[in-house]
């Protein structure tokens, strides 16, 4: 070998050795501790202090961002989505969920803005149900009925948060242990909801729960969306598709009658795109109904699509759940001043809550919501954002 060649080989070996050394150092200093997948490196899931409960419990706010600029902020109180910034057709970001700028608003009066709802989303008639011969009485917080988990539902507790980073996504896992007897429910229920923001502008929600006694479980997400931007007037001009041929009619207390009724030929039919406002006058009180989704199987399927003509934002809702509550913000009445001083009037936000049907524990004809020990409750929902030309 010539002198020159030996020299080149020497340099190559030196560089390889240096590379290996740097890699080893990086492993020691930069690698996250076992179990905390990439958290140390995650610049896109950051927890910040967001205030305190009256008893001093600290509340944190996590910020998730993706390379397209989409940004979600979620707090440990109620596993609540506080803001969701989504690009419009021109790429301009707008916060498209209603809520408050600070924790105080949520503590004072929140109609479940952005909440994680449980142990049972929506209503259980008279707050009672029978399970294996035993009658259970739940907290009544909506006239005689039980709504969204009771007086202190999952929206009003502080969840434990663990941020994580994946290849094309980042998120936060929220965990909460609901103890036996809480709000009247049987069994210790260990639950989690994972919020994931993907690079494809999807906000993905994965729910899991296990119990040590049979109990009803029905978890959902309660954002009030306005795709024109929170506070930008009402949502009556949004175009909506709901993939459902039937719905569950309700009595005057909004408890399902048990009937499953076709939507065809009525103001309830959203199989073809309709403006939310075009027939709302025909629905006493406005839309606040559970749709029975037209599903092909049990996997993740498209449930609804919403389009807002001014921003040209589109939201697709996909889920593994059998039902979807469409609520047109009927009880918003201008008494709440939310983010950036915006006053929230009637119909200025809508909710699309993926769920099992309301009052299922008292409706043997509805799909069961009872979780047994040894089984895992698991549901998935995606809110996916895009724009139209
Ligand atoms: C229900 C409404 C209720 C609202 C609470 C919705 O999920 O369907 O009836 O008023 O939540 O803010």
């Amino acid at each position: 070998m010539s002198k020159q060649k030996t020299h080149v080989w020497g340099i190559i070996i030196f560089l390889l050795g240096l590379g290996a050394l740097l890699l080893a150092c990086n492993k020691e200093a930069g690698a996250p501790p076992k179990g905390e997948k990439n958290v140390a490196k995650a610049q896109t899931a950051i927890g910040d202090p967001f205030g305190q409960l009256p008893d001093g419990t600290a509340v944190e706010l996590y910020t998730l961002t993706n390379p397209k600029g989409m940004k979600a902020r979620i707090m440990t109180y109620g596993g609540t989505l506080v803001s969701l910034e989504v690009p419009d057709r021109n790429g301009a970001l707008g916060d498209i969920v209603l809520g408050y700028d600070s924790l105080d608003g949520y503590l004072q009066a929140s109609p479940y803005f952005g909440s994680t709802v449980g142990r049972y989303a929506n209503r259980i008639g008279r707050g009672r149900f029978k399970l294996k011969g035993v009658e259970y009485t739940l907290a009544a917080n909506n006239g005689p009925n039980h709504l969204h988990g009771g007086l202190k539902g999952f929206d009003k507790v502080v969840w434990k948060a663990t941020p994580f980073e994946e290849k094309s996504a980042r998120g936060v896992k929220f965990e909460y242990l609901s103890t036996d007897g809480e709000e009247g429910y049987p069994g210790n229920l260990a639950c989690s909801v994972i919020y994931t923001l993907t690079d494809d502008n999807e906000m993905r929600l994965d729910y899991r729960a296990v119990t040590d006694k049979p109990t009803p479980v029905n978890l959902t997400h309660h954002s009030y969306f306005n795709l024109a931007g929170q506070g930008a007037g009402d949502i009556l001009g949004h175009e909506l598709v709901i993939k459902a041929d039937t719905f569950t009619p309700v009595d005057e207390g909004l408890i399902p009658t048990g009937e499953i009724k076709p939507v065809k030929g009525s103001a309830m039919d959203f199989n073809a795109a309709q403006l939310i406002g075009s027939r709302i006058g025909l629905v006493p009180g406005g839309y606040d109904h559970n749709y029975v989704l037209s599903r092909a199987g049990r996997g993740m399927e498209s449930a609804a699509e919403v389009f807002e003509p001014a921003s040209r934002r589109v939201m697709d809702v996909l889920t593994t759940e059998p039902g979807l509550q469409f609520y047109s913000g009927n009880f918003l009445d201008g008494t709440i001043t939310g983010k950036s001083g915006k006053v929230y009037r009637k119909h200025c936000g809508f909710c699309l809550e993926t769920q099992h049907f309301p009052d299922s524990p008292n409706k043997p004809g509805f799909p069961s919501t009872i979780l047994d020990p040894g089984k895992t409750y698991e549901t998935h929902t995606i809110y996916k954002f895009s724009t139209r030309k």
Side-chain angles (χ1 to χ4, degrees), residues 111-112 122-123 147-148 222 224 254 288 325 327 331 353:
Y112 304 90
N122 214 283
R123 291 173 179 79
L147 174 67
H148 292 330
H222 209 287
Y224 288 70
L254 297 174
D288 195 355
Q325 185 82 14
Y327 171 54
F331 297 116
E353 304 155 59

Side-chain angles (χ1 to χ4, degrees), residues 167-357:
K167 196 162 164 259
S168 332
R170 70 291 302 148
V172 182
K173 179 179 189 180
F174 292 96
E175 290 167 282
Y176 175 64
L177 174 67
S178 169
T179 50
D180 192 3
E182 191 178 282
E183 300 296 304
Y185 289 103
N188 292 297
L189 185 78
C191 27
S192 63
V193 52
I194 301 176
Y195 278 79
T196 306
L197 175 63
T198 72
D199 287 357
D200 292 332
N201 284 1
E202 293 167 330
M203 175 55 89
R204 185 185 165 108
L205 300 169
D206 301 302
Y207 301 89
R208 275 172 89 90
V210 289
T211 183
D212 58 5
K213 283 185 192 164
T215 179
V217 185
N218 190 29
L219 306 178
T220 197
H221 177 73
H222 209 287
S223 272
Y224 288 70
F225 297 99
N226 185 329
L227 299 187
Q230 68 88 24
D234 66 49
I235 46 81
L236 300 177
H238 285 48
E239 211 178 274
L240 173 66
V241 172
I242 300 178
K243 296 176 183 172
D245 293 332
T246 54
F247 73 108
T248 52
V250 285
D251 66 16
E252 58 293 342
L254 297 174
I255 303 298
T257 58
E259 207 187 336
I260 304 243
K261 202 174 168 183
V263 294
K264 209 175 167 101
S266 78
M268 298 301 293
D269 191 352
F270 282 92
N271 280 297
Q274 300 285 341
L275 297 184
I276 292 177
S278 63
R279 302 158 305 165
I280 198 169
L282 301 171
V283 183
Y287 295 100
D288 195 355
H289 296 86
N290 170 64
Y291 282 82
V292 179
L293 294 169
S294 304
R295 303 186 54 90
R298 309 182 114 215
M300 183 69 92
E301 288 178 34
S302 169
E305 290 164 18
V306 195
F307 167 63
E308 196 284 308
S311 63
R312 309 208 61 85
R313 287 192 184 96
V314 175
M315 179 171 84
D316 285 290
V317 184
L318 299 100
T319 189
T320 57
E321 286 283 60
L324 181 75
Q325 185 82 14
F326 168 40
Y327 171 54
S328 52
N330 314 323
F331 297 116
L332 296 171
D333 59 3
T335 52
I336 287 180
T337 301
K339 289 184 265 190
S340 328
K342 303 284 186 190
V343 175
Y344 297 148
R345 297 183 215 286
K346 192 167 182 177
H347 304 316
C348 77
F350 67 90
C351 304
L352 288 173
E353 304 155 59
T354 57
Q355 61 180 9
H356 268 58
F357 309 168

Side-chain angles (χ1 to χ4, degrees), residues 85-107:
E85 291 175 42
V86 176
D88 68 6
R89 190 189 37 178
N90 303 317
L93 291 176
D95 181 4
I96 54 121
V97 292
L98 276 53
Y100 292 104
D101 288 319
S102 69
L103 177 63
D104 277 358
Y106 291 94
L107 296 181

